[in-house]
Amino acid sequence: MPPRPEGTDGSDWSYREVVEDRYKRMAVNMSATLVLHQVQTLIVVLKLAWTCIPIYTGEGTPNQFFYAWAVLLLLGNVCFYLGKPRGRCILPYMKVAVTCVLLTMALTFIGIWKMYMLEPKTSMLSRRLFKYLKDTGRVTSIKALDTFTTIEGLIDAATLAACGVCFFVFNNWVKDAME
């Protein structure tokens, strides 16, 4: 064993062993991003399923936002899983994925604004589903309409919240990775 250098008590190694805070933050943000991205994907899939009500009721095709959400979901997931943290070379994939999350949130906000502010109440998906189920005799109570309206509002709010939180954490990870 080599002799200890003069002027030290042997504890001077401790300051060299500290991991920089930025790397700790990146690890926490990436694990949180992975979980939040999966939750956001699940909620957007629920939103897509809810938007398919016109197909179920035989009224035609889903609204114009359905296809945009589907493309953004697919592109965002492909870029996210291609760009899972393996180094700085994956940053372009992650930037595309975070942009897809932001665009999904923006389209959801625009869809909510259009659905609740511009279109007549009869075009709401919950009312269309209730009318279809009432006409086929599967539902008789008006409480079902309240339930469907609540579900529609919860799906919209959950989509906005999941996209917003996912974008915030995801964007923090990308910013830390760019430093």
Side-chain angles (χ1 to χ4, degrees), residues 47 50 110-121 124 126 148-154 156:
K47 178 76 174 162
W50 186 261
I110 292 169
I112 291 171
W113 177 70
K114 182 177 178 266
M115 177 70 74
Y116 293 105
M117 299 295 187
L118 298 179
E119 293 182 350
K121 296 290 182 203
M124 288 177 60
S126 55
F148 294 149
T149 305
T150 303
I151 290 170
E152 185 171 19
L154 287 174
D156 288 337

Side-chain angles (χ1 to χ4, degrees), residues 66-137:
F66 173 81
Y67 302 105
W69 281 319
V71 167
L72 287 172
L73 182 67
L74 181 65
L75 180 64
N77 277 321
V78 166
C79 288
F80 181 78
Y81 289 107
L82 280 176
K84 279 200 343 199
R86 290 186 205 107
R88 290 181 60 91
C89 62
I90 53 90
L91 275 176
Y93 288 125
M94 298 307 263
K95 286 180 181 179
V96 170
V98 77
T99 303
C100 287
V101 170
L102 181 63
L103 289 174
T104 301
M105 186 173 68
L107 279 178
T108 303
F109 182 76
I110 292 169
I112 291 171
W113 177 70
K114 182 177 178 266
M115 177 70 74
Y116 293 105
M117 299 295 187
L118 298 179
E119 293 182 350
K121 296 290 182 203
T122 55
S123 69
M124 288 177 60
L125 295 172
S126 55
R127 290 180 185 264
R128 290 159 71 182
L129 180 63
F130 175 74
K131 182 181 179 306
Y132 172 77
L133 292 175
K134 187 176 177 188
D135 290 346
T136 59

Side-chain angles (χ1 to χ4, degrees), residues 1 6 9-11 17-18 20 22 25-27 30 65 73 75 96 102 107 110 113 124 127 136 138 141 151 153 155:
M1 188 162 155
E6 288 186 29
D9 62 357
S11 65
E17 299 279 330
V18 176
E20 189 178 342
R22 178 173 73 101
R25 248 188 354 257
M26 281 179 61
M30 195 57 225
F65 293 112
L73 182 67
L75 180 64
V96 170
L102 181 63
L107 279 178
I110 292 169
W113 177 70
M124 288 177 60
R127 290 180 185 264
T136 59
R138 296 183 191 165
S141 173
I151 290 170
I155 289 174

